Amino acid sequence: MTSSSSLFASLSSLAPHLFSLLALLVLLEQVSYLLKKRSLPGPPLVLPFLGNAVRLVADPTGFWDCQSRLAASSPLGLSANYVVGRFILFVRDSELSHRVFANVRPDAFHLVGHPFGKKLFGEHNLIYMMGQDHKDLRRRIAPNFTPKALFTYTSLQQIIILKHLKRWVDLSSPPAAAEAGEPRKPIVLRLHARDMNLETSQTVFAGPYLSREARERFNVDYNLFNVGLMTLPFDLPGFAFREARLAVDRLVETLAECAGKSKERMERGEEPCCLIDFWMLETAREVGAAREAGEELPPHSGDREIGGHLFDFLFAAQDASTSSLLWAVTLLDSHPQVLAKVREEVAGIWLPDSDPLIASDQLREMRYTEAVAREVLRYRAPATMVPHIASEEFALTDTYMVPKGTIVFPSVFESSFQGFTEPDRFDPDRFSEERREDQVYKRNFLAFGAGAHQCVGQRYALNHLMLFIAMFATLVDFQRDRTDGCDEITYVPTICPKDGCRVSLSVRCAQFPRLSLR
């Protein structure tokens, strides 16, 4: 009893000191934030330790809209905030964004892709590489996006798009209901589009190396990863962030097994049928030559490392593509004159009744459809920001030095509404041969990033969006189920319509084509 009383008395005597220490830490945190913020617009005070993390997670749209308004009020085009011990900087100005993109190097900025990305993705993935090592890896990746490879992918993409369009129509207009004359039932496309894109990525990237069981596990793990992206970074048992990190480990391991199987198949001289095969063609040859010579294996040839890079590709292609497809449907519905022109162009090039795949030369002929796809990406850039971390102090402007450790958010979205003619208007003709605003305002079109880390798969992504727009507009009649605020932007984590794109569908053509690989 005496011992317990003594302990309580000791703790009671320490309490004022502990409280004083805590108060001092809070004060130092506020002072540090204000010194870093200087004259930039941002909250004058922040919640101790968490900062504005709760608002960022609970209402990301409102959080970033506020940062955008604050940056617009600043002559520098910058605004500041504080999240979980990190000072953050929002960059609205296009030229300053280019300055960040152009200075990804050890003594300036590191691309991180997500504020807490290294915890999720690991330390050695493509987005964290720089210098000669990064150049060497991009050289190895280049065969993935040759015309031959892209043609292989477009064939796979069309077959999967058609499969899911049929499923969506059946959900919205079941055959029995259609025969009975019942009205179409609206469906929310967001999760359906995500599933379509996940199957597309699995098939295009890993091809025959993923079994049905592996795909099912893959889908579960990718969903855990997606949920973890939007939560607080508590890497503890029971928290979504921990579940996401463990899911990434399993996904990378699965993709590493695919890389190993592809190497074996390419060593046998078989024809490439997916992205990992095109990648492994040269890698398998180099690995074989090194083994015969008794030398070390070439860099960037390990299955686990390749699996990590494949996951980077999948992450980049999956959620951004889903966002673009949803906005394409939304914007085509709200701009019937654009939809009519797409349908007219596609009908003059591709006849689905004869059951062909859209050929590469036919896709290149769809100039207006490509303009629509590019305008969707400009008007609703899916990855609205590209987080970087300042590894050292950096003079971003003549008057503002970015503090070391700052998470910097160059805003691709904000850049898209600068420079262009009537930037707030959805206008595919801005990308026509006559106006060529993609060239005139090239520095403002940052949907695929800029600098050394500009998206290596941008042609693949654009082809996928074009194919979807062409097939969706041609094969399906659709109507948005509009409600107040349905087209407002929400973050999940890329942007999509607030209602998830609620739409009713029915067959437009006489019958769906029977597409197949020949």
Side-chain angles (χ1 to χ4, degrees):
M1 188 70 178
T2 304
S3 176
S4 299
S5 300
S6 300
L7 179 60
F8 180 77
S10 298
L11 290 176
S12 298
S13 64
L14 285 174
H17 301 289
L18 293 174
F19 180 80
S20 298
L21 178 61
L22 182 62
L24 178 62
L25 291 174
V26 170
L27 177 62
L28 290 175
E29 184 180 48
Q30 299 295 327
V31 170
S32 173
Y33 164 71
L34 292 173
L35 288 174
K36 292 174 180 178
K37 185 173 89 70
R38 296 174 58 185
S39 61
L40 295 181
L45 295 173
V46 292
L47 188 69
F49 310 121
L50 283 178
N52 277 296
V54 173
R55 186 184 178 195
L56 174 59
V57 172
D59 181 20
T61 306
F63 179 89
W64 293 117
D65 282 349
C66 179
Q67 292 303 128
S68 173
R69 290 193 300 272
L70 291 171
S73 71
S74 164
L76 296 179
L78 304 172
S79 64
N81 214 312
Y82 186 78
V83 174
V84 193
R86 288 280 196 172
F87 179 71
I88 71 169
L89 190 68
F90 180 89
V91 182
R92 181 179 183 273
D93 181 79
S94 295
E95 290 306 314
L96 293 185
S97 292
H98 272 280
R99 191 161 191 193
V100 174
F101 290 139
N103 284 281
V104 176
R105 60 176 198 265
D107 62 342
F109 296 106
H110 293 192
L111 174 63
V112 293
H114 182 276
F116 306 99
K118 284 195 175 183
K119 288 185 178 180
L120 278 178
F121 307 133
E123 293 279 345
H124 306 294
N125 287 347
L126 176 62
I127 56 176
Y128 306 127
M129 299 174 70
M130 56 187 75
Q132 191 59 46
D133 204 31
H134 179 244
K135 291 179 182 177
D136 290 344
L137 182 57
R138 283 181 72 100
R139 176 184 61 80
R140 286 186 173 276
I141 291 169
N144 300 350
F145 302 104
T146 60
K148 180 181 178 181
L150 289 169
F151 174 71
T152 300
Y153 308 155
T154 57
S155 300
L156 297 170
Q157 287 166 299
Q158 290 174 69
I159 292 169
I160 295 169
I161 289 171
L162 177 61
K163 170 185 171 181
H164 284 265
L165 287 182
K166 289 178 178 178
R167 184 177 298 166
W168 299 355
V169 168
D170 284 344
L171 288 171
S172 182
S173 303
E179 290 176 8
E182 295 178 11
R184 296 178 294 180
K185 178 178 67 175
I187 62 172
V188 178
L189 282 189
R190 185 173 76 84
L191 295 181
H192 296 302
R194 186 204 65 181
D195 290 345
M196 181 184 76
N197 280 330
L198 191 54
E199 182 176 355
T200 303
S201 297
Q202 290 171 340
T203 304
V204 169
F205 295 172
Y209 308 115
L210 279 176
S211 66
R212 177 178 296 179
E213 294 76 15
R215 286 177 183 245
E216 290 173 356
R217 292 195 305 270
F218 202 102
N219 293 348
V220 171
D221 281 334
Y222 196 84
N223 186 57
L224 290 172
F225 163 71
N226 244 358
V227 171
L229 282 176
M230 299 296 291
T231 60
L232 293 173
F234 296 141
D235 192 7
L236 298 169
F239 284 85
F241 189 87
R242 166 68 67 88
E243 294 298 321
R245 185 178 63 76
L246 296 176
V248 170
D249 288 342
R250 293 191 294 269
L251 290 167
V252 169
E253 189 60 42
T254 298
L255 293 170
E257 292 174 8
C258 295
K261 293 174 183 176
S262 175
K263 278 182 193 171
E264 294 173 2
R265 188 167 172 271
M266 293 303 98
E267 286 173 356
R268 296 196 298 267
E270 298 186 33
E271 192 69 18
C273 66
C274 60
L275 182 145
I276 190 62
D277 284 348
F278 284 100
W279 188 346
M280 291 301 102
L281 266 175
E282 182 65 15
T283 299
R285 187 192 67 77
E286 291 182 0
V287 167
R291 284 173 177 162
E292 286 183 12
E295 299 173 351
E296 289 187 7
L297 297 182
H300 311 306
S301 62
D303 292 350
R304 176 77 187 188
E305 181 183 352
I306 292 168
H309 299 322
L310 267 178
F311 179 75
D312 293 342
F313 285 176
L314 188 135
F315 173 53
Q318 172 65 28
D319 296 302
S321 180
T322 298
S323 169
S324 296
L325 301 191
L326 297 177
W327 287 114
V329 173
T330 299
L331 293 165
L332 287 173
D333 178 79
S334 59
H335 296 80
Q337 74 284 5
V338 173
L339 174 62
K341 288 183 70 173
V342 168
R343 284 173 167 166
E344 181 181 5
E345 178 180 71
V346 175
I349 297 171
W350 179 58
L351 297 174
D353 291 347
S354 58
D355 300 336
L357 289 161
I358 299 174
S360 294
D361 57 343
Q362 291 176 311
L363 193 62
R364 286 193 294 270
E365 288 180 49
M366 296 180 186
R367 300 291 180 82
Y368 184 75
T369 304
E370 180 169 351
V372 173
R374 289 187 179 277
E375 179 67 345
V376 169
L377 292 170
R378 181 201 71 85
Y379 191 75
R380 288 292 182 262
T384 57
M385 292 163 290
V386 187
H388 293 66
I389 289 181
S391 57
E392 301 290 343
E393 283 193 336
F394 186 86
L396 189 59
T397 73
D398 292 338
T399 59
Y400 186 77
M401 182 79 72
V402 178
K404 179 180 178 179
T406 301
I407 303 181
V408 182
F409 291 86
S411 177
V412 171
F413 187 88
E414 293 292 330
S415 182
S416 295
F417 292 89
Q418 298 169 33
F420 292 96
T421 305
E422 296 183 85
D424 292 326
R425 188 161 70 92
F426 181 75
D427 180 15
D429 287 327
R430 71 175 74 252
F431 293 111
S432 65
E433 287 295 322
E434 295 75 26
R435 291 170 58 181
R436 300 178 69 247
E437 290 192 20
D438 54 328
Q439 296 301 314
V440 177
Y441 303 110
K442 186 176 182 179
R443 291 183 68 80
N444 298 94
F445 187 77
L446 294 175
F448 294 109
H453 282 267
Q454 188 174 37
C455 177
V456 68
Q458 58 184 279
R459 187 68 245 182
Y460 166 80
L462 191 60
N463 282 353
H464 187 60
L465 182 54
M466 287 178 64
L467 288 167
F468 177 81
I469 290 172
M471 296 177 71
F472 187 83
T474 301
L475 303 178
V476 170
D477 273 323
F478 63 100
Q479 184 176 1
R480 287 276 274 127
D481 184 35
R482 295 195 167 275
T483 56
D484 289 343
C486 65
D487 290 347
E488 292 177 5
I489 292 172
T490 188
Y491 288 75
V492 288
T494 50
I495 60 171
C496 79
K498 188 175 182 179
D499 71 340
C501 194
R502 185 176 168 86
V503 62
S504 56
L505 309 166
S506 61
V507 181
R508 180 173 184 268
C509 53
Q511 65 178 30
F512 282 118
R514 294 182 292 273
L515 305 181
S516 63
L517 295 173
R518 293 182 173 85

